[in-house]
Every structure is written in C-alpha cells, then in structure tokens.
Amino acid sequence: MPEYDVIVLGTGLKECILSGILSANGKRVLHIDRNPYYGGESASISPLEEVCPSLSLSLSHTHTHTHTQTLVPPQDCQQCSALLTYVSAATSLCPQLYKKFNVPGPGKAMGQGRHWSVDLVPKFLLASGPLVQMLLYTEVTRYLDFKVVEGSFVYRGGRVHRVPCTEAQAQASDLMGRFDKRRFRKFLLFALNFDESDRRRHHELDPQRRTARDVFRHFDLGSEVVEFVGHAVALHSSDEYLEQPFLQTMRRIQLYAESQDRYGHSPYLYPLYGLGELLQAFGRLSTDHGGGYLLNHPVEDIVMESGKVAGVKSEGRVFRCKQLICEPSYVPERVRSAARLIRVVCLLNHPIRDTEDAKSCYIIIPQTQLRRKSDIYICMVSYAHNIAPEGKYVAVVSTTVETSNPEREVQPGLELLEPIVQKFVSITSFFVPLDDGRRSQIFVSRSYDASAHFETECEDIRDMYRRMMGSELSLRGLRGEQGGRDEASGQRSAQQPPPSDLPACSASCGRR
C-alpha cells in the first residue's frame, strides 16, 4: 500500500505551490485530481474551441514511471519521455472556453483557437512579492518566462489614470492638484524611507499604535489621494485598514514601489502563455523530487483513523498519508461559503481606452467611486503575453457580489472595455475552511478572491504551511538560478544567468 507524507487533492495553483515547496524540502507528495486537466477553478483554457480529434488524448492510456502516473498520447508513450509530456497532455484536455460557458462557438474573426490560452482566475505577480520569492526558492523560474505588465491604473470620475508611485509620476499625474502633489510627495518620501527599527524615521508616530488614518491626517492628504494610495498602491481590498496600525500599510507601499523599480512600467509580472505555465512548472518540480500525479482519478473516500487523516481511496486503492491538502470542492463538509464572487471574461480586439494603448494592464476601481463595499478589479493581457492571436486581448472584470444583480455591479468595469467581442460570466462562492486542520491534519485552502493580484493567495499559502509544519515558511537563502537569458535574443542561456533575486523577464520570447 503506497505511503506518502502529504497527499494533495486538486491541482490549483496554491496546492501546486505548496506541494512544490514540500517536495523541495524532502517530503514525499502525491497529487490526485478528479479532472483530466490541471488547475481546477484556476485552470487555463486552451484551445478556444473544440480540440481536433487527431490531437485528443486517450484517457484510458496511462503510463507509470517511478511514483508518477502520467497521461500521455499513445504514440509518445516512452519511458524516457513520459515525465516530459504529462504536463502538455493535461493542459490540452482542459474544457474549451465556449463549451464551458455554453456559448456558441467563435467565428473566424477570433483567429485560430490554439493560439488562445484564457485563465479563468487571472492574477498578476508583484515583481518583489512573496510569490516571486517562492518561485525563486523552489527554482521553478528555470521553467518560466515572464513579461512586465505595461500599466497600473486606478479609476476615478468615469475614466482611468496611471497610478503614481514616484516623485516624477506624481508631478505628471492628473489625479492630484498642485497642493495635493506637494503633500503626496512628502508622504511618499516618508513611506519609502520608513524603517520600523529607526524611530528617527517615524515622525513621532508609533507604527504599532497609530492608525493609517492618523498618518494620512499627519500629512494632510485629501480623501481622493488616500483612496488611490490605499487601494491601488497598498492594495487594500477594503477601508478597514484605515483604523488599523499603519505599519502594514507602509510595508505594502514599499513592496509596490520596490516591485515597480525592478523593471519599470508597472510593479506587475505575468508569465508568457498564462498562469498555466506556473502549474506546469510546479508539476515538474514535484516530479523532479519524486512526487506523483494522478489525473482523472475520482476521490472515493478520505480514510480517517482516530480522528486524523490516514489516507485517500481512489479507484479502489488506498494511498496512505500523514497530512492532506485539499481544494474546497473535495471536502464540502469542511468549508462554508463566506461570499459570492463574479468574474466576467471578455474577449476584445482593442486595448482598453485611456491606458495609453497598453497591451496589458491592471485597473482598480476603488469601492468609494461606486458607493460599494468592495473594489472592482480589471486585468487585461493580450497577444503580447502569447495568450491570444495577434491583435486580440483578454480582460477579466471581477468583484465580490453585494446585491441580487451581480452583472449590474460590474457594469462600470465592462463599460471601460466596450466594444466587447464576447463575454463569459461566472458567479461562484468564496469558500473558507471551518477549522485550522490541526486536529484532523486536513488542511483546506480558501477559494481565490476577487482581486487580480496574488497577495491574499500568498497569505493563504503561508498560513497553511504554518499550520502544517508548526513554523513560518522561510524563503531566506534563495537558491541560484539554473541558467539565464541572453539579453540580445531574449532566450535562455546557461552562460549568462540573470541576477539571482529576479525572475527572467524579457520584452519578447518565442514559444519554447
């Protein structure tokens, strides 16, 4: 009877990241997914329409290699290539976008379906954020190529404006008047030079006792400046932070500014070919460390002994384990719905107006602009990230549902995207675990929130790791990269590694 340290149910991004970190730290890990594709609710859908039968895969044809059972095309079933082909096999089996949403198939104007890769839950990475640190720690950056998102914007008064985060940007910004710019400049210098351990930089404000609202008042910032600083720079999802100690807000502002300094344009990165590349990279990492993957395998039972998890039963076989990581859908009795979310995937043939023709961007509509309790998020990527044919764009509008008419709630965001070639609407529940999992050793992840950045998801990853291991996830002592990128060609080169604290990032890259 196979035994593992950890079994992971589902192949969502958080589950794959945790399994990669645990595998790299010596744990024996097995993934089981009921679907024949990777990603679960965070899957990347490609191609756009039905797959040509000649390219489809036989689900009944499996191949076992070490501890990994992989799905591969029958003609490619060779011992030496099985581990290299399981990822592409899983991805191409993903249900197609039009079929998934019961929408009539795309017309010829949409280009060839195989050139599309649409993320159902798209999220950007902060260039200096915790997810990038996790990628570097596990060395999966050797499997990935990134490109900088071209712009970070905030909505005000019916149009979008670039988010200022430097003195030069503040002076050029149309978000503030002359006097507000002076006040903002002083605040920005304070925030960027703030050091928790140096009281001389506190302006006599106790970071553990004084609130963010106190700091904004200290610098006499107007409500409109506070709005974009709190929501588009510090990336707070609500105004609750205003009554909390300002230390966390200073850290968030510094993270945003440092991320923007890394590559310019904006603080955000996105992988070429979409977030499915991250799933594939962590899948490779896990198999490199002896991990196993079972796709298209139903979970029949979770075996418990003395109140603790002891294994998972699938297709009549019991796989024993000491700990279990689950997506919420695998243990509905252990989660509750805390909210509802709406996401609208929109296919476009033009950039978003007022974004300086950016081929990728992130727009935040602060809650107060629409008299809401939750922000509305818009992320847009395009052919520049190799996720769509030339001249095509994919934008996703998302928020937390507050009324009985969710589509009406996101209408201000959809109006910014007009004209829309095709839209796909999904309304889902946001699930959270009922307990911390320490007693049962069953650790359930939260659903993905409405934001289009990874900060809250990284908090969930760290929290799950802390509960499982009894210690903080430490990403110190990052390992060096295995190969870099030739600056002239944009391709990887073992002779020219990038700086060890940055993922490889280029303006263009051909398909690998």
Side-chain angles (χ1 to χ4, degrees):
M1 186 178 296
E3 293 190 15
Y4 296 86
D5 294 311
V6 181
I7 290 180
V8 182
L9 300 185
T11 52
L13 185 58
K14 285 190 280 192
E15 289 72 29
C16 287
I17 291 174
L18 277 169
S19 73
I21 292 173
L22 294 172
S23 296
N25 288 339
K27 299 291 185 180
R28 193 178 181 207
V29 181
L30 172 67
H31 265 274
I32 302 177
D33 197 315
R34 65 168 74 95
N35 299 306
Y37 56 86
Y38 281 75
E41 67 170 304
S42 60
S44 297
I45 293 191
S46 177
L48 203 61
E49 71 284 330
E50 289 288 352
V51 182
C52 174
S54 63
L55 296 178
S56 63
L57 304 177
S58 172
L59 289 178
S60 63
H61 184 82
T62 59
H63 183 84
T64 303
H65 185 281
T66 314
H67 302 297
T68 305
Q69 186 170 2
T70 63
L71 300 173
V72 298
Q75 65 269 24
D76 291 337
C77 182
Q78 300 175 3
Q79 185 79 6
C80 63
S81 63
L83 290 178
L84 298 178
T85 58
Y86 82 95
V87 168
S88 60
T91 302
S92 62
L93 284 168
C94 188
Q96 289 68 52
L97 189 64
Y98 281 76
K99 181 179 179 181
K100 178 178 177 64
F101 288 93
N102 296 317
V103 175
K108 294 182 179 179
M110 299 308 295
Q112 295 184 348
R114 63 185 177 86
H115 291 158
W116 292 84
S117 180
V118 180
D119 292 319
L120 295 180
V121 185
K123 289 179 179 284
F124 294 149
L125 295 77
L126 281 171
S128 294
L131 181 53
V132 168
Q133 297 301 314
M134 293 176 190
L135 298 178
L136 290 165
Y137 175 80
T138 56
E139 296 184 334
V140 298
T141 48
R142 55 185 157 172
Y143 305 127
L144 297 166
D145 292 292
F146 290 87
K147 189 171 183 179
V148 180
V149 174
E150 292 185 13
S152 174
F153 298 88
V154 64
Y155 175 97
R156 180 188 293 173
R159 60 186 298 265
V160 298
H161 310 260
R162 186 174 287 275
V163 176
C165 195
T166 66
E167 291 186 53
Q169 291 173 349
Q171 289 301 317
S173 176
D174 55 358
L175 279 170
M176 300 171 284
R178 181 173 62 181
F179 295 111
D180 278 335
K181 289 179 179 180
R182 290 180 181 176
R183 299 185 190 107
F184 176 70
R185 176 181 176 276
K186 292 180 181 179
F187 168 78
L188 189 62
L189 289 174
F190 167 76
L192 298 184
N193 289 288
F194 180 83
D195 185 344
E196 181 182 1
S197 62
D198 188 350
R199 292 186 178 182
R200 294 172 299 177
R201 301 185 181 187
H202 292 182
H203 282 220
E204 299 183 354
L205 297 168
D206 187 337
Q208 299 290 355
R209 295 185 178 182
R210 303 298 292 274
T211 66
R213 190 185 300 277
D214 292 335
V215 174
F216 294 146
R217 286 175 176 170
H218 178 81
F219 288 94
D220 197 21
L221 298 184
S223 60
E224 292 184 339
V225 177
V226 170
E227 180 183 77
F228 82 76
V229 170
H231 292 261
V233 179
L235 299 179
H236 289 294
S237 58
S238 72
D239 281 343
E240 293 179 359
Y241 80 97
L242 288 171
E243 308 305 327
Q244 297 171 354
F246 72 84
L247 176 60
Q248 187 62 32
T249 296
M250 294 300 105
R251 289 174 176 171
R252 284 171 171 256
I253 293 173
Q254 290 177 347
L255 174 59
Y256 185 98
E258 182 183 346
S259 297
Q260 179 153 310
D261 286 345
R262 289 296 174 112
Y263 299 108
H265 296 296
S266 86
Y268 302 109
L269 303 176
Y270 199 69
L272 294 182
Y273 314 110
L275 293 179
E277 294 291 292
L278 288 179
L279 299 176
Q280 296 179 21
F282 279 103
R284 292 183 184 182
L285 174 70
S286 185
T287 56
D288 285 347
H289 291 276
Y293 275 76
L294 293 174
L295 298 182
N296 203 38
H297 276 61
V299 175
E300 298 165 355
D301 190 23
I302 295 176
V303 181
M304 305 292 291
E305 294 179 357
S306 302
K308 291 187 176 182
V309 67
V312 174
K313 184 178 181 181
S314 176
E315 296 189 341
R317 299 177 65 191
V318 175
F319 301 89
R320 297 192 65 83
C321 65
K322 301 172 184 176
Q323 294 180 309
L324 184 67
I325 297 173
C326 301
E327 290 182 355
S329 63
Y330 285 87
V331 285
E333 73 282 0
R334 293 180 178 271
V335 297
R336 65 177 178 86
S337 177
R340 289 196 305 157
L341 309 177
I342 180 172
R343 289 186 178 89
V344 184
V345 178
C346 301
L347 306 185
L348 312 175
N349 55 17
H350 60 85
I352 300 174
R353 66 176 180 270
D354 298 326
T355 61
E356 304 163 16
D357 291 332
K359 297 181 180 64
S360 57
C361 66
Y362 188 17
I363 302 172
I364 295 178
I365 304 179
Q367 57 189 52
T368 52
Q369 285 293 310
L370 303 174
R371 297 181 180 179
R372 290 174 47 81
K373 298 178 182 178
S374 308
D375 293 348
I376 296 176
Y377 304 92
I378 304 172
C379 66
M380 188 268 287
V381 287
S382 68
Y383 62 96
H385 278 85
N386 296 346
I387 58 90
E390 185 77 20
K392 305 300 181 183
Y393 303 75
V394 179
V396 179
V397 183
S398 58
T399 192
T400 301
V401 175
E402 299 178 1
T403 71
S404 60
N405 191 346
E407 290 191 56
R408 184 176 180 181
E409 294 183 48
V410 296
Q411 192 58 39
L414 296 175
E415 290 175 356
L416 295 176
L417 309 182
E418 294 290 353
I420 299 172
V421 176
Q422 184 66 63
K423 65 180 181 181
F424 308 88
V425 181
S426 68
I427 299 174
T428 59
S429 292
F430 178 77
F431 291 107
V432 297
L434 292 174
D435 58 56
D436 61 15
R438 289 187 173 95
R439 181 183 298 272
S440 65
Q441 291 297 290
I442 298 176
F443 303 94
V444 187
S445 62
R446 298 195 304 253
S447 299
Y448 297 92
D449 69 2
S451 71
H453 52 267
F454 272 111
E455 299 316 289
T456 52
E457 314 310 336
C458 290
E459 290 173 6
D460 193 26
I461 291 171
R462 288 180 178 274
D463 181 53
M464 291 181 69
Y465 183 93
R466 184 187 308 113
R467 287 183 276 126
M468 291 181 67
M469 300 292 108
S471 61
E472 296 293 334
L473 173 59
S474 175
L475 301 177
R476 296 179 180 178
L478 300 179
R479 304 167 188 177
E481 286 288 301
Q482 303 295 317
R485 178 182 306 282
D486 182 83
E487 294 297 329
S489 65
Q491 303 298 319
R492 291 196 179 281
S493 169
Q495 289 75 35
Q496 295 183 352
S500 61
D501 64 337
L502 295 175
C505 189
S506 66
S508 63
C509 178
R511 181 171 287 278
R512 295 185 296 279

